[in-house]
Amino acid sequence: MPIETFLDHLRQPEYTGDNRCLPCTIVNTIIALALATAIALWRPLAGALVFGIFIILIYLRGYLVPGTPELTTRYL
């Protein structure tokens, strides 16, 4: 599978671009940082790699944790 096809499969335009939810992005980035920090305490390079992957997922999908857009809309 070409990389473009794979990235297109991950993209969710309803949560990115002009539709991006800033509170969702902030909450998910904090979650990503916390998880990557926990992993980095065990293996620093793995923590950095995981954080990079998390940020790419947040960029492409608009969120890291499924359900975040609905939860943030309800509570923030």
Side-chain angles (χ1 to χ4, degrees), residues 43-69:
R43 295 273 193 244
L45 186 58
L49 180 63
V50 165
F51 185 68
I53 291 169
F54 286 167
I55 293 301
I56 290 169
L57 286 173
I58 292 169
Y59 174 77
L60 290 173
R61 298 181 63 87
Y63 58 86
L64 178 64
V65 179
T68 304

